[in-house]
Amino acid sequence: MSTVELRNTATLNEHYPHLLSPLDLGFTQLSNRVLMGSMHTGLEEERDGFEKLAAFYQARAKGGVGLIVTGGISPNFRGRLAPFGSELSKWWHVGKHRLITQAVHQYPTKICLQLLHAGRYGYHPFSLSASAIKSPINPFKPSAMSERQIKTTIKDFAKAAGLAQKAGYDGVEIMGSEGYLINQFSCQRTNKRIDKWGGDITNRMRFAVEVVKAVRKKAGDNFIIIFRLSMLDLVEGGNTWDEVVTMAKAIEAAGATIINTGIGWHEARVPTIATSVPRAAFTWITERMMEQVNIPLIATNRINTPEVAERVIASGQSHMVSMARPFLADPDFVHKAAQGHSEQINTCIGCNQACLDHVFKQQRASCLVNPQACYETELTFEPATTKKRIAVVGAGMAGLAASVYAAQRGHSVDLYEADSEIGGQFNMAKQIPGKEEFHETIRYFAQQIARLNIHLHLNTRQRASTLIGKNYDDIVIATGVEPRIPDLEGVEHKLVLSYVDVLKRRLPVGKRVAIIGAGGIGFDVAEFLVEQHSLTEQPQQWLEQWGIDKSFENPGALASKIPAIDNPRQIYLMQRKQSKVGQGLGKTTGWIHRATLKKHGVKMLAGVEYQRITERGVDVVIDGKPTSIDVDNVILCTGQESQRDLYQELINLGQSVHLIGGADVAAELDAKRAIRQGAELAAKI
């Protein structure tokens, strides 16, 4: 080991001694206990995507992660997630995977290929499963696998593992959770077979066990086999705790090196990774399994800081932790932790907007707080050849991104903000119960402002003449948005409030409330008003509210009864559109927001025609019937308008100026777009 490596190891052990200590697997050793969990990025299917994937994984290896697991790759044609999904089944597939392993192995990081057979989750008409039972989240009904197809698929897993070994991978992760094929075999919910592959748990888990045995035989002893075991199915017809333990022991005996924790099926009506899920909310189930097996266990889901990860391992809940999206947010997560600079980590906020939402729409994944994720070869921030003086007006997400990335390139930046704090609309978003993680992004940008010597001017409203007089090389306008006030009779009544009045100014709100506008802001305001306190710091209450039983008395760990919620407010959330209320919310999180409001008794009304606001409330027409909704307050969530006055003044004075963020497009508080736009401008300015 070199002097540098020795010094780095000493630093690792000093700051997070459990998290950053090596893990001996017998035939090999991991440099630390951090697993970068599997994420499908969409690059797997793009033209030249593997070159980009190599850069993506290499950045995380350079950042110090101990073990990487790739996105899911199918062992055969029928197991693909989508018609053109990736598979590793032919010798000519090996070359492109070698690009990844060679890039990663320039650093002391190990990498495993995830083998994933989609089963009935395959979004194509060739899907197979244990039984011919259609998934509620897929229009295609699978065919039940024949005995021959089962045995062939087992061989395909082994062959794919052998090809992965030839490509230079240190091992494979066999995906046996989240409702994919192996999980479909192991649970009665989807396995109605009456042959030796169905029936009791011994038969239902046979497919998983035979896959592990075949992979071990093919790859030999010196090859990491991670098995992703569904410890909490969170669906009806899921496994009991005794069945989960029986399967874990059988997987260990079959030759697995490590067992990774799987939480919930994709069709489960329980959130498992969204920002509203408490940190480390499911580590208790991994801890329970620690008593049952003798191989290392990995805890997972909503572990996003080194402090949380260290606590999980130090308390004996697991041997390793898996973090997937946190490595989208910050590839240098481990090195920053090792150097004692965890405050510099760009923390994953669990929003899903640029990662999972993209993947489920067949788009390339990225990260809201780190637009460079999966764009490492395309969005670069090279040192500027000509150092400029730049003024950025507005310290919301767009302005912060433009300032930080421009300063990172070597430019001198003055950042002006009319308010008393940075963050813009995020300062309202962070008030919403379940969105406390948004504090972390503001903290991160504040740290970068200090580290990069950006000149921050708070409580400073700029004029065009003042800016021009300071002779900046470039001026960036990121002045954001203001609430749109609808042309509606009675909108001036004192019972009318805007979302800014509620979330920022904290004006009092009555017990009966009508919210006009059911976009993201309308949902945020509704949740702010109905949630008496956030459950992110009360994981037991959160588990109970979502019907998760820690005692595991019922199959799938679903509670037999969910406690009722006493809501002191009656809220009407209304929209003009006839479509389902909340249909435009995030693809992977919208259902959570709708379910939360439903639990609290919020009345969600679509197809509402607004007539007038009166001193008693609001007169509307619903389904052709005039109705008066008597309320104490009417809250306007009717969109935004760009604040462009300063931009227009500069243009009128002949000044060259850049317009970004909400000031450019007053979309639905689109932080993803704002940060990316700020970054892209900084990369070329």
Side-chain angles (χ1 to χ4, degrees):
M1 184 178 288
S2 69
T3 304
V4 172
E5 288 173 321
L6 285 170
R7 185 170 65 250
N8 286 346
T9 301
T11 306
L12 295 178
N13 292 333
E14 176 186 352
H15 295 292
Y16 300 95
H18 297 87
L19 179 69
L20 300 173
S21 64
L23 179 63
D24 188 1
L25 299 178
F27 60 89
T28 190
Q29 187 180 77
L30 304 180
S31 59
N32 54 58
R33 309 297 182 97
V34 182
L35 171 76
M36 176 181 162
S38 174
M39 293 175 286
H40 198 81
T41 65
L43 289 171
E44 295 85 353
E45 289 79 35
E46 279 193 19
R47 182 179 178 85
D48 300 323
F50 273 74
E51 287 84 353
K52 297 172 185 177
L53 269 177
F56 170 72
Y57 287 123
Q58 184 181 56
R60 278 75 194 162
K62 183 180 180 181
V65 65
L67 178 61
I68 293 172
V69 175
T70 71
I73 305 293
S74 177
N76 58 31
F77 175 80
R78 284 181 178 261
R80 292 179 174 192
L81 282 165
F84 299 101
S86 286
E87 63 178 286
L88 180 56
S89 60
K90 305 291 190 299
W91 63 266
W92 59 81
H93 293 156
V94 169
K96 59 184 181 182
H97 284 275
R98 196 170 281 136
L99 294 172
I100 293 173
T101 59
Q102 289 175 344
V104 167
H105 286 151
Q106 293 181 33
Y107 301 92
T109 294
K110 300 195 183 301
I111 182 166
C112 293
L113 177 88
Q114 186 185 77
L115 293 176
L116 182 155
H117 191 299
R120 71 176 191 162
Y121 282 167
Y123 211 81
H124 52 74
F126 309 108
S127 61
L128 297 170
S129 186
S131 300
I133 303 173
K134 192 176 83 68
S135 164
I137 60 173
N138 194 329
F140 298 102
K141 183 178 179 179
S143 300
M145 295 176 75
S146 67
E147 174 91 9
R148 181 177 179 180
Q149 286 174 323
I150 290 172
K151 291 181 177 179
T152 300
T153 301
I154 292 170
K155 291 179 182 178
D156 289 341
F157 269 98
K159 181 181 179 182
L163 293 172
Q165 196 171 33
K166 283 185 171 64
Y169 287 103
D170 301 287
V172 294
E173 178 176 76
I174 298 169
M175 182 49 144
S177 66
E178 266 73 14
Y180 292 109
L181 179 68
I182 292 175
N183 209 177
Q184 292 161 27
F185 265 90
S186 67
C187 288
Q188 290 181 341
R189 176 182 181 86
T190 43
N191 188 340
K192 306 299 182 182
R193 304 178 72 96
I194 57 175
D195 58 8
K196 69 178 184 179
W197 305 97
D200 63 14
I201 187 59
T202 302
N203 284 352
R204 298 199 312 274
M205 71 182 185
R206 188 187 306 276
F207 181 68
V209 172
E210 292 302 320
V211 167
V212 175
K213 285 181 178 179
V215 169
R216 177 56 72 201
K217 182 178 179 181
K218 180 70 175 180
D221 294 335
N222 299 330
F223 193 67
I224 299 170
I225 298 178
I226 307 169
F227 188 86
R228 182 89 163 260
L229 175 67
S230 185
M231 295 192 196
L232 293 173
D233 291 315
L234 301 181
V235 290
E236 294 181 1
N239 283 338
T240 65
W241 173 244
D242 287 344
E243 289 172 329
V244 174
V245 171
T246 298
M247 187 168 172
K249 290 180 176 179
I251 292 298
E252 177 183 9
T257 315
I258 303 171
I259 291 179
N260 195 359
T261 302
I263 304 294
W265 289 36
H266 286 312
E267 62 205 67
R269 293 291 87 184
V270 177
T272 55
I273 59 173
T275 188
S276 58
V277 178
R279 291 176 175 177
F282 299 102
T283 54
W284 53 273
I285 195 65
T286 313
E287 181 181 20
R288 190 167 173 178
M289 185 61 76
M290 292 276 281
E291 304 169 0
Q292 305 295 331
V293 295
N294 299 306
I295 56 177
L297 294 178
I298 304 171
T300 187
N301 286 48
R302 287 289 289 129
I303 300 169
N304 67 341
T305 72
E307 292 78 14
V308 172
E310 172 73 12
R311 185 170 67 247
V312 168
I313 297 176
S315 63
Q317 292 186 298
S318 71
H319 300 96
M320 295 183 69
V321 293
S322 172
M323 292 180 277
R325 294 170 302 164
F327 284 99
L328 282 175
D330 197 328
D332 296 317
F333 183 105
V334 175
H335 275 338
K336 289 178 180 178
Q339 294 160 5
H341 296 311
S342 63
E343 77 284 354
Q344 297 287 348
I345 292 173
N346 194 1
T347 306
C348 167
I349 61 175
C351 68
N352 291 356
Q353 292 180 35
C355 51
L356 289 178
D357 283 357
H358 278 208
V359 170
F360 278 96
K361 291 186 288 187
Q362 308 298 312
Q363 298 172 352
R364 190 195 305 189
S366 188
C367 179
L368 181 145
V369 300
N370 175 24
Q372 197 175 24
C374 299
Y375 289 84
E376 284 76 13
T377 63
E378 298 153 273
L379 180 58
T380 60
F381 304 102
E382 302 298 329
T385 53
T386 302
K387 304 297 174 64
K388 296 181 177 181
R389 290 182 64 246
I390 299 173
V392 179
V393 184
M397 289 300 113
L400 288 170
S403 299
V404 165
Y405 288 116
Q408 184 177 308
R409 296 187 60 216
H411 297 306
S412 175
V413 179
D414 282 309
L415 175 58
Y416 297 99
E417 171 55 50
D419 212 336
S420 60
E421 59 183 345
I422 66 169
Q425 303 286 334
F426 257 43
N427 288 309
M428 288 185 281
K430 72 185 184 184
Q431 309 296 327
I432 311 305
K435 287 191 174 182
E436 290 81 6
E437 293 287 12
F438 285 48
H439 283 271
E440 299 288 357
T441 303
I442 298 173
R443 180 265 312 154
Y444 169 75
F445 276 120
Q447 290 288 333
Q448 297 308 302
I449 287 170
R451 185 178 71 85
L452 296 167
N453 296 314
I454 294 170
H455 309 294
L456 176 62
H457 309 272
L458 297 174
N459 299 303
T460 306
R461 191 174 295 278
Q462 288 299 294
R463 299 169 60 100
S465 57
T466 306
L467 287 170
I468 292 176
K470 293 182 178 180
N471 296 317
Y472 287 109
D473 296 305
D474 277 288
I475 297 174
V476 179
I477 301 301
T479 43
V481 299
E482 57 187 0
R484 178 187 295 120
I485 306 301
D487 183 14
L488 182 61
E489 181 184 340
V491 76
E492 73 285 348
H493 278 303
K494 62 181 180 180
L495 58 73
V496 177
L497 303 171
S498 73
Y499 66 86
V500 176
D501 293 327
V502 177
L503 299 179
K504 184 177 181 179
R505 302 188 182 108
R506 293 298 189 99
L507 297 185
V509 179
K511 297 293 185 183
R512 292 175 57 82
V513 181
I515 299 174
I516 297 179
I521 301 171
F523 269 81
D524 276 355
V525 169
E527 290 187 48
F528 178 78
L529 294 176
V530 298
E531 295 271 20
Q532 298 305 297
H533 51 268
S534 175
L535 298 181
T536 54
E537 298 295 330
Q538 301 176 62
Q540 181 56 41
Q541 282 187 257
W542 182 89
L543 291 168
E544 291 173 359
Q545 187 176 109
W546 283 99
I548 304 169
D549 177 19
K550 284 183 70 173
S551 67
F552 218 133
E553 292 182 357
N554 298 313
L558 293 178
S560 55
K561 185 178 180 181
I562 299 177
I565 298 175
D566 181 25
N567 180 22
R569 280 194 170 99
Q570 176 59 67
I571 294 180
Y572 300 86
L573 179 60
M574 305 180 292
Q575 68 178 28
R576 290 183 186 274
K577 289 184 282 189
Q578 293 284 351
S579 57
K580 180 170 65 175
V581 176
Q583 187 172 12
L585 299 178
K587 191 172 181 63
T588 61
T589 55
W591 70 270
I592 301 172
H593 298 299
R594 288 190 294 270
T596 298
L597 295 190
K598 186 176 179 180
K599 288 173 186 284
H600 286 86
V602 173
K603 296 185 183 299
M604 291 176 267
L605 307 175
V608 178
E609 182 182 344
Y610 309 112
Q611 298 293 297
R612 67 191 62 82
I613 297 173
T614 70
E615 294 182 353
R616 301 187 323 276
V618 57
D619 292 343
V620 299
V621 175
I622 304 175
D623 294 331
K625 299 178 182 178
T627 305
S628 293
I629 300 177
D630 294 343
V631 292
D632 303 311
N633 289 107
V634 175
I635 301 175
L636 303 178
C637 300
T638 47
Q640 303 82 37
E641 294 177 345
S642 297
Q643 296 193 72
R644 293 185 179 175
D645 292 348
L646 179 58
Y647 171 77
Q648 196 58 54
E649 288 177 29
L650 288 165
I651 292 295
N652 292 342
L653 292 172
Q655 176 69 40
S656 175
V657 62
H658 307 277
L659 186 67
I660 61 173
D664 178 32
V665 178
E668 181 75 22
L669 300 187
D670 191 349
K672 177 183 70 174
R673 182 186 151 283
I675 292 175
R676 174 165 289 279
Q677 194 177 24
E680 289 175 343
L681 174 62
K684 65 184 180 182
I685 199 169

